Amino acid sequence: YPHSQSTTPSMINKTSLVRALIVVAVLIPPVRATAQQSDADWMNNCRSDRGDRFDRRDTYCEIRSATAHPSGGAVSMEGLLNGGVSVTGWDRSDIAVRTRIRAQARTQDEARAIAAQIRTVISGSTITVDGPTNDGENQWSASLVASIPMRSDLRVDTRNGPVSVSQVQGNMNLQTRNGPMALNDLAGTVTARTTNGPLSISLGGSRWDGGGL
């Protein structure tokens, strides 16, 4: 008699998950999020942005760098408005963050003064960006580009900006509203939500490693 092999519900679930992920990765075209641009490309695009079609505002652009050692717990980048987040895992124990700042006002000096009020605050494993209140004439945005330990739990929440996460293993809660999301070569348990934006998923191999997506 032919040998029969029993199939457990957990095996079915994992097989279905892998198949679903492969379908998603194939059907949804890759999303090149703004946060994934090189610093040079981002700076060129930022400087060429005049704010509106009437060229009524000047734009000031700046990139700042900072490093920190995580204090334990999840790395958190939440509460960003009008900015993106790009996270890549690396084989070091520290966190490196670049903040891409874009400020607009009626003059270059006023835009520079707005940028001077923007701060990237790193407290343990929590990274936030503070700045003045946006109004009709004076506006600013900030995007974070971070390298974090490859084995890290991660929380990301942003509005009106892209999110991309690559080569991170851990428990992740990722969310963006009005922006695309790109996930590449992740492992662990990942909860990802995007509203009004496409989702791109690329597997690092033929199967998902971890709790699921």
Side-chain angles (χ1 to χ4, degrees):
Y1 295 97
H3 176 70
S4 61
Q5 182 178 2
S6 62
T7 303
T8 65
S10 62
M11 292 173 62
I12 296 175
N13 290 339
K14 288 187 177 180
T15 302
S16 301
L17 172 63
V18 171
R19 288 175 178 171
L21 289 172
I22 293 174
V23 169
V24 171
V26 170
L27 293 182
I28 300 179
V31 177
R32 179 165 179 80
T34 302
Q36 291 178 292
Q37 293 178 329
S38 68
D39 286 343
D41 287 343
W42 179 86
M43 186 65 77
N44 288 335
N45 290 336
C46 182
R47 288 172 174 168
S48 64
D49 186 0
R50 302 298 298 177
D52 59 32
R53 60 191 179 93
F54 300 109
D55 288 349
R56 294 179 299 186
R57 290 186 288 178
D58 272 338
T59 301
Y60 174 78
C61 310
E62 182 180 348
I63 299 176
R64 300 174 187 166
S65 299
T67 58
H69 290 278
S71 61
V75 178
S76 172
M77 286 169 272
E78 299 177 286
L80 272 76
L81 301 177
N82 303 319
V85 175
S86 178
V87 180
T88 302
W90 64 358
D91 58 359
R92 291 169 50 174
S93 61
D94 58 340
I95 297 174
V97 181
R98 299 195 308 281
T99 306
R100 296 171 173 174
I101 296 171
R102 173 178 171 271
Q104 291 185 323
R106 290 174 297 178
T107 68
Q108 182 73 193
D109 288 342
E110 290 179 354
R112 187 188 300 269
I114 293 172
Q117 302 176 59
I118 299 170
R119 299 184 307 134
T120 302
V121 181
I122 304 177
S123 177
S125 300
T126 300
I127 305 167
T128 58
V129 179
D130 294 333
T133 302
N134 283 331
D135 58 37
E137 291 293 331
N138 303 320
Q139 297 184 2
W140 65 273
S141 63
S143 295
L144 296 175
V145 181
S147 298
I148 68 174
M150 187 175 296
R151 294 185 179 276
S152 296
D153 295 339
L154 177 65
R155 296 197 305 266
V156 172
D157 184 4
T158 186
R159 184 177 299 174
N160 301 326
V163 168
S164 67
V165 183
S166 300
Q167 299 176 337
V168 178
Q169 304 174 15
N171 296 322
M172 287 169 259
N173 194 321
L174 315 172
Q175 181 168 305
T176 181
R177 281 152 286 183
N178 301 322
M181 180 178 293
L183 309 179
N184 178 54
D185 194 10
L186 304 184
T189 301
V190 180
T191 300
R193 300 182 181 90
T194 178
T195 305
N196 297 328
L199 171 64
S200 172
I201 302 172
S202 298
L203 297 179
S206 60
R207 61 187 296 273
W208 184 269
D209 182 11
L213 175 65

